Amino acid sequence: MSPRPVRTATMNEVAAAAGVSQATVSLVLNKAGGSRVGEATRRRVLEAASELGYRPNAAAKTLRVGAAGLIGFVGDVVASSPFAGRIVEGAQARAWDDGMLLLTVNTGGDSRIESAAIESLLSQRVAGIVYASMYHRRLEIPESLEGTPTVVLNSEDVTGRARAVVPDEFEGGRAATQAVLDAGHRRIAMINIETLASELPAAVGRHDGYRAALQDAGLPYDARLVRDGDGNPQAGYDQTLALMSSAAPPTAIFCANDRTAWGAYQALDSLGLEVPRDVSIVGFDNQETLAPFLRPGLTTLELPFVEMGRRAVDLLLGGHVAEDTPERIICPLIERGSIAAPRGGRDG
């Protein structure tokens, strides 16, 4: 594994210790002129910073010279997505740690808006740009970003010119499969979100992780248990019905996203089967508007949006650069109630 950067206290932690807002901490530590921060508050902030060992990012200060203290964030539909918007939250928090602001533009996938947005951001003399995508894919960054510090977020630059931060799809797929293996399941199906031929990194990585977990457990890969989907509930419903009608149905299903899992729940209910008594289900994404509200709650892998956003800005501001490109962030397992041991113990 790549070495991790040495962790230092953040501006947010200084704010919590001093009992003030992060904005106040930024004003004090960045010595903003004309601020209305009282002397007692200023001393409290400086004492908290000293006690926590807070150190300003020297590379970020260098970038700010002549750069107006701004970072650009260009996304397709990231900013308006109910759960991927957390990428923006993480990016803004990390920028604010160094007293910088994030200028966010949501392009809606319109190339004309994107071009105009990038031109506008560059005219503001931003220190760098985070170029973000709603879903993990391979893309080529616009030529207009040539020469501008750029980090691709939640996608990969096909040219390899820009650094990238993505979720670790492979290890996520392995962890999802391992969760049901650990419960005793041996006949485990997978419903993917695309065909492997699409070469979508999420579909390929999650499938390969599934396959690796089976191999590590000494189990054969059975292509009859792997079904293509499109990431929507209907595909989860249809493919689950097909799997359960086979001669040897699975006792557990890894659904490569939470919407697919939702469809699987509905299919099992229509067959008079219960999750997890009859079939265990594990998902992927931890979609907050869905996964906790299924009955039972869905055990799933969380896309680490906040951490990814923070790390992308960290790279722009001169943070430790990992050897791996793209840099892959681990997806944690969120355990709820959709996995149980197969009926009668370990299945065949």
Side-chain angles (χ1 to χ4, degrees), residues 123-293:
S123 73
Q124 297 292 325
R125 302 174 67 203
V126 294
I129 286 184
V130 176
Y131 188 80
S133 174
M134 168 61 187
Y135 66 93
H136 186 180
R137 57 193 173 99
R138 293 186 175 91
L139 50 77
E140 188 167 350
I141 62 173
E143 292 183 5
S144 57
L145 290 176
E146 186 72 32
T148 299
T150 302
V151 174
V152 179
L153 178 54
N154 203 35
S155 280
E156 305 169 30
D157 175 23
V158 294
T159 68
R161 295 195 308 267
R163 290 169 293 180
V165 179
V166 299
D168 195 328
E169 310 285 8
F170 176 84
E171 288 300 333
R174 188 204 292 267
T177 309
Q178 191 62 51
V180 287
L181 284 167
D182 289 345
H185 295 273
R186 292 298 177 266
R187 190 163 178 80
I188 304 164
M190 178 184 183
I191 305 174
N192 214 334
I193 52 176
E194 283 282 354
T195 66
L196 294 178
S198 73
E199 298 185 351
L200 185 72
V204 174
R206 296 173 194 187
H207 168 269
D208 289 352
Y210 159 82
R211 188 166 189 164
L214 294 178
Q215 182 177 5
D216 292 345
L219 298 175
Y221 174 83
D222 186 346
R224 294 171 297 181
L225 289 174
V226 179
R227 301 299 177 105
D228 292 333
D230 61 8
N232 289 309
Q234 188 63 52
Y237 183 90
D238 293 340
Q239 297 292 12
T240 298
L241 290 181
L243 286 165
M244 300 310 297
S245 67
S246 64
T251 63
I253 304 173
F254 167 33
C255 296
N257 74 359
D258 293 349
R259 293 190 304 275
T260 299
W262 183 18
Y265 269 57
Q266 295 175 65
L268 293 170
D269 182 66
S270 73
L271 295 172
L273 301 175
E274 294 182 14
V275 178
R277 187 194 68 180
D278 300 300
V279 180
S280 288
I281 301 287
V282 59
F284 208 113
D285 287 350
N286 193 33
Q287 190 165 344
E288 294 177 345
T289 56
L290 174 61
F293 303 108

